[in-house]
Amino acid sequence: MQSINWGDLTPETFLKEYWQKKPLLIKKALPNFQGTIEADELAGLAMEQEIESRIIAQKADKSWLVEHGPFEDFEKFGEDNWTLLVQAVNNWSRETDQLISLFTFIPRWRIDDVMVSFSTPNGGVGAHLDQYDVFILQGEGKRRWQVGAPDATLTTLIPHPDLKQVSEFRPIIDEVTEAGDLLYIPPNHPHNGVSIENSLNFSIGFQAPSNQDLWSSFADKLIDEELGEQRFADLDRTVTDSPYLLKENDINKIKSFMLKQLDDDKTFSKYISQFLTQSHHTLELLIPMEAFTAEQVNGFLDDDEIQFTPVSGIKSLVCYTPETNLFINGDIFQLTDETKELGNILAGCLPMTTEKAKSFMTCLKNVQLLTSVLNKGYWYIE
Ligand code: SIN
Ligand code: CO
């Protein structure tokens, strides 16, 4: 994968001036970009039950149509005015997953997935807002993109129960994108992409959990692990003269009782790392029919024709505080001084040759770590 041609910018200046603040179009950011998947392959993915896809079309009377996949055929949608959107294509296409490596200046946990759309002439989803940052890379074709600034006077339109749009906005970017152009749109900036000709767009979407998501999943973690079962206590209680009153002091005590739970750093860093590595879409996990033993995995190392490969789209990270752990797809693998380096490589999600693997395998703990990851189906032998 080539790297982004930033022109006058650098990743540092991009983060300082644009990230979460201003939209940006980088023309020819990837000059020879050909796309990572063909339109007919994308259509094939949209025929699969476990892959989330939608077609959004605007009819001759200007009303909007939304249909959800899996699709059997696309004939009825005609030649123009529609877009096919397929979620998390990076879970099924390794080349598409590799687009994420263009953004290594931002931690991997911040990236969610790569959505790919195919739009016919005049196709688009209408002007709308997204609540997360997105980079949209133009593959084949041309598309007119308009992006505006956040504007509280815009009204929400629901032209179809499954489609949220906004009223017309004043664009600050209004340009035609061609293969290799990269558009950055911060959250809540209205945007609209209308295809000029058959067009493929690759949207690298970022994840920004809401407090609702965080608190509810933290509560699930407490329940699952039977944590936080201790009860509120108030040994220092004194006589009240107004038993009907909930006093500020009591509110604060209950609040600190709750916050103390978050302050448990071990629990919190495990919880948040698990949360951030959970895939929001189906993954093609490759669980071996029969679990490998550590001896078998050791045996593979002499075969330099094979390599160890992570499942496409799998989310991983390492966290060193307060304990050293590797997280893959919401699972925890405890690391030690001996396994930390292998843990980093596994979290990096790049295929590992047997030669590379061999350098770790003098230590049994490393063999065991690799064996567990293979047996979970998160990595496989290729
Ligand atoms: C699309 O590719 O058609 C939609 C991308 C977006 O606007 O979020
Ligand atoms: Co959007």
Side-chain angles (χ1 to χ4, degrees):
M1 175 66 51
Q2 17 171 357
S3 54
I4 297 175
N5 181 357
W6 287 99
D8 293 340
L9 292 175
T10 61
E12 287 77 15
T13 50
F14 166 76
L15 289 176
K16 197 155 170 252
E17 290 166 30
Y18 293 92
W19 174 249
Q20 300 234 300
K21 304 166 200 76
K22 271 196 295 193
L24 172 70
L25 173 64
I26 310 176
K27 294 291 285 178
K28 297 194 169 46
L30 293 180
N32 305 315
F33 184 63
Q34 306 267 318
T36 55
I37 188 166
E38 303 284 332
D40 56 349
E41 286 175 82
L42 189 72
L45 292 181
M47 292 174 153
E48 302 286 339
Q49 182 71 43
E50 66 270 44
I51 303 182
E52 206 182 309
S53 60
R54 283 170 302 155
I55 283 184
I56 299 181
Q58 194 171 25
K59 297 191 263 183
D61 65 1
K62 298 284 168 217
S63 64
W64 291 83
L65 172 100
V66 181
E67 278 194 26
H68 295 270
F71 295 97
E72 279 176 10
D73 71 83
F74 301 88
E75 299 261 300
K76 71 168 190 184
F77 298 105
E79 299 285 315
D80 47 23
N81 296 317
W82 59 273
T83 301
L84 164 70
L85 304 111
V86 185
Q87 299 297 325
V89 170
N90 61 311
N91 287 10
W92 307 93
S93 151
R94 177 162 307 283
E95 290 72 26
T96 305
D97 196 41
Q98 282 164 356
L99 290 177
I100 291 176
S101 64
L102 293 170
F103 304 96
T104 46
F105 56 96
I106 295 172
R108 173 65 182 88
W109 66 258
R110 194 71 167 78
I111 299 176
D112 196 2
D113 58 24
V114 186
M115 189 273 289
V116 183
S117 69
F118 168 75
S119 324
T120 56
N122 209 32
V125 305
H128 66 281
L129 305 174
D130 293 313
Q131 288 181 302
Y132 47 83
D133 309 81
V134 64
F135 279 95
I136 302 179
L137 182 56
Q138 179 76 47
E140 69 173 56
K142 289 192 180 133
R143 207 166 183 194
R144 179 180 177 192
W145 277 101
Q146 295 179 304
V147 188
D151 179 352
T153 67
L154 297 181
T155 46
T156 303
L157 310 170
I158 315 269
H160 180 282
D162 292 341
L163 191 61
K164 210 170 173 182
Q165 296 177 340
V166 287
S167 51
E168 215 172 296
F169 60 88
R170 200 157 56 85
I172 48 178
I173 288 178
D174 186 348
E175 297 220 34
V176 172
T177 52
E178 295 168 293
D181 292 349
L182 182 64
L183 178 64
Y184 165 69
I185 309 175
N188 299 312
H189 283 59
H191 55 281
N192 193 15
V194 180
S195 258
I196 291 170
E197 53 191 36
N198 281 355
S199 183
L200 279 167
N201 280 85
F202 299 80
S203 293
I204 297 90
F206 285 71
Q207 69 172 341
S210 68
N211 249 313
Q212 271 187 8
D213 298 339
L214 291 168
W215 285 99
S216 75
S217 58
F218 186 63
D220 289 344
K221 165 92 177 166
L222 295 184
I223 294 164
D224 290 350
E225 308 229 338
E226 296 181 12
L227 296 166
E229 287 182 322
Q230 69 280 23
R231 304 245 165 199
F232 173 74
D234 49 358
L235 275 79
D236 52 355
R237 175 120 348 251
T238 53
V239 168
T240 182
D241 54 5
S242 36
Y244 48 83
L245 181 65
L246 172 61
K247 288 193 176 161
E248 192 183 349
N249 169 36
D250 276 336
I251 292 181
N252 288 338
K253 274 194 199 152
I254 297 178
K255 197 192 208 176
S256 24
F257 171 66
M258 286 181 72
L259 289 176
K260 211 162 153 229
Q261 190 68 54
L262 281 186
D263 266 343
D264 172 354
D265 291 338
K266 253 195 220 170
T267 305
F268 190 79
S269 77
K270 273 191 196 158
Y271 146 72
I272 195 63
S273 305
Q274 288 183 291
F275 177 88
L276 294 171
T277 52
Q278 263 147 15
S279 179
H280 303 135
H281 300 277
T282 310
L283 285 162
E284 200 178 16
L285 295 184
L286 294 165
I287 302 170
M289 302 275 269
E290 214 171 299
F292 295 121
T293 61
E295 290 72 32
Q296 278 173 311
V297 171
N298 234 333
F300 295 136
L301 300 176
D302 294 323
D303 186 348
D304 53 16
E305 302 273 287
I306 60 165
Q307 61 175 11
F308 299 100
T309 307
V311 158
S312 192
I314 199 133
K315 293 182 181 172
S316 312
L317 59 83
V318 281
C319 180
Y320 299 155
T321 47
E323 289 172 334
T324 311
N325 288 310
L326 162 69
F327 296 83
I328 308 180
N329 197 34
D331 244 315
I332 310 179
F333 301 86
Q334 251 179 27
L335 299 178
T336 59
D337 285 347
E338 297 109 305
T339 55
K340 194 169 156 184
E341 203 182 333
L342 177 61
N344 286 343
I345 289 179
L346 294 172
C349 278
L350 291 176
M352 176 170 56
T353 59
T354 44
E355 198 188 328
K356 178 87 189 155
K358 251 189 215 169
S359 59
F360 296 105
M361 299 304 155
T362 46
C363 165
L364 179 63
K365 283 188 182 157
N366 280 321
V367 187
Q368 285 165 339
L369 174 61
L370 183 58
T371 308
S372 317
V373 169
L374 290 168
N375 285 339
K376 289 271 185 179
Y378 299 151
W379 280 60
Y380 61 96
I381 295 162
E382 199 177 20

